[in-house]
Amino acid sequence: MSQTPLPELLRPKRLSQFVGQKHLVGTEGVISKLLSSAKETGFFPSLIFWGPPGSGKTTLARIIANELKRPYHEFSAVNTSVKEIAKILTQGNLFPPIVVIDEIHRFNKAQQAKLLPFVERGDITLVGATTENPSFEIIGPLLSRTRVLVLQQLSQQELERIVKRAEKYLKIRLTKDTLDFLLESSNGDARVALVVLEIAVNLTKSKKISMEVVEQALQKRQFTFDKKGEEYYNVISAYIKSMRASDVDSALYYLARMVEAGQDPLYIARRMVIFASEDIGMGQPTAVVIANEVFRACETIGYP
């Protein structure tokens, strides 16, 4: 059995294999158009990919390098210095190499400033990846020399396509309930889904992966919370009624159940805005302001 992790084995090599981010890689997507143009002009801009974990930031960067047929260098800001990055400029490349810096927000302001000359002169094509808002974490001069592209959390349908590929590759089968549980528990993170699936496969000799095995691999108990069933409405209803009764402990309990089950934070935040507007209203006018700020935070960041 290969020692290479499943997410790496299944990582797509071409844009046509990439799942999700249609606003970027679809026919009219900015990356698709830039790649098409680059094949004629040779120009490709430096980019900052901002998105949640497991949404395809690094994969997309590698695909760009592959499509452009340029040298590719990948670094992590956690354990890399700018001096190490500068070394690749001595390799005599015909075109600017693609330099991917994961967790670029981990570079301090001085380190980010040292990247400016390389990007400004076109010595490298920088692709920075971050889970943090670049407006707060990336210095202004570097932002002005790059374009920020926002990657969205994968939908359950997109995540299912990735898991189905893994099923085929591993020659296994998930029951529908097990598949639904894995998708909900992964919360739009393809890496989580694949890592859990790989662990589950190694926990059993059966080709049919059961719910119990996935729960064991995930180390998380399944909550009764079917996004299309009755319990879905029971939990959100109990959450609203707990807030209406000013029962803090109950509200936190039902909130935690939804979070643990993988509910979309925007859905929860939206219900809070509705509650603040309809149930609290003018009784406490600032409630809807706070609820809206929570919604905005969920929209721009997601779960912490």
Side-chain angles (χ1 to χ4, degrees):
M1 183 175 288
S2 173
Q3 297 301 307
T4 306
L6 185 61
E8 191 63 32
L9 288 171
L10 295 183
R11 194 187 292 273
K13 304 292 190 298
R14 298 190 298 274
L15 207 60
S16 58
Q17 301 171 331
F18 190 81
V19 176
Q21 317 308 332
K22 286 297 182 186
H23 63 296
L24 299 179
V25 303
T27 307
E28 296 300 313
V30 62
I31 289 180
S32 300
K33 290 183 175 180
L34 284 172
L35 284 172
S36 177
S37 173
K39 290 174 183 176
E40 298 177 11
T41 66
F43 169 77
F44 195 88
S46 290
L47 305 171
I48 301 290
F49 288 156
W50 173 30
S55 57
K57 298 185 292 296
T58 303
T59 298
L60 199 49
R62 291 183 183 181
I63 288 174
I64 288 171
N66 188 50
E67 296 273 348
L68 294 176
K69 295 180 171 55
R70 291 189 189 176
Y72 170 88
H73 304 272
E74 188 174 331
F75 301 94
S76 172
V78 176
N79 55 14
T80 301
S81 68
V82 177
K83 190 177 292 186
E84 289 180 66
I85 297 173
K87 289 178 182 177
I88 67 173
L89 300 179
T90 63
Q91 296 176 8
N93 299 302
L94 184 61
F95 288 104
I98 306 289
V99 176
V100 177
I101 303 179
D102 197 20
E103 303 287 329
I104 192 171
H105 61 275
R106 301 280 187 179
F107 271 164
N108 60 38
K109 290 183 178 181
Q111 288 173 306
Q112 292 182 32
K114 288 179 181 178
L115 290 173
L116 289 176
F118 305 138
V119 176
E120 192 165 37
R121 291 194 303 261
D123 294 336
I124 63 173
T125 297
L126 173 67
V127 180
T130 178
T131 55
E132 304 295 326
N133 190 330
S135 298
F136 303 126
E137 303 294 340
I138 308 298
I139 60 173
L142 188 57
L143 280 179
S144 72
R145 290 163 174 80
T146 59
R147 293 277 69 84
V148 175
L149 300 183
V150 180
L151 280 74
Q152 299 167 352
Q153 185 181 65
L154 296 177
S155 68
Q156 288 214 4
Q157 290 76 19
E158 291 164 345
L159 204 56
E160 183 173 353
R161 286 177 58 192
I162 294 171
V163 172
K164 289 292 184 183
R165 283 183 187 174
E167 280 187 285
K168 187 174 181 181
Y169 179 84
L170 296 169
K171 297 182 173 62
I172 59 167
R173 185 169 67 86
L174 299 175
T175 64
K176 187 179 185 309
D177 287 346
T178 305
L179 175 62
D180 289 344
F181 173 56
L182 177 61
L183 296 179
E184 289 182 12
S185 301
S186 300
N187 196 36
D189 188 327
R191 190 180 296 106
V192 168
L194 294 177
V195 168
V196 169
L197 190 57
E198 185 173 33
I199 293 172
V201 167
N202 284 277
L203 290 176
T204 179
K205 295 180 179 179
S206 174
K207 291 297 182 181
K208 183 178 179 181
I209 308 300
S210 67
M211 177 82 75
E212 291 73 24
V213 173
V214 171
E215 286 182 341
Q216 188 178 5
L218 190 64
Q219 287 294 293
K220 182 200 284 187
R221 181 173 59 87
Q222 181 187 14
F223 287 86
T224 307
F225 181 70
D226 179 1
K227 287 192 174 181
K228 296 182 178 65
E230 183 181 1
E231 195 64 14
Y232 172 87
Y233 299 101
N234 288 343
V235 173
I236 190 63
S237 177
Y239 176 58
I240 298 297
K241 288 176 180 175
S242 297
M243 290 196 294
R244 193 173 291 146
S246 299
D247 188 337
V248 177
D249 288 341
S250 295
L252 288 173
Y253 166 73
Y254 290 113
L255 172 63
R257 279 189 61 174
M258 289 188 287
V259 170
E260 283 295 310
Q263 178 58 279
D264 182 358
L266 287 181
Y267 175 83
I268 301 172
R270 192 177 295 116
R271 294 308 295 258
M272 290 173 67
V273 174
I274 293 170
F275 175 81
S277 175
E278 295 181 353
D279 291 79
I280 299 176
M282 294 305 294
Q284 179 56 271
T286 57
V288 72
V289 176
I290 295 171
N292 269 304
E293 287 303 309
V294 171
F295 181 88
R296 177 63 180 154
C298 290
E299 189 177 41
T300 55
I301 300 171
Y303 286 126

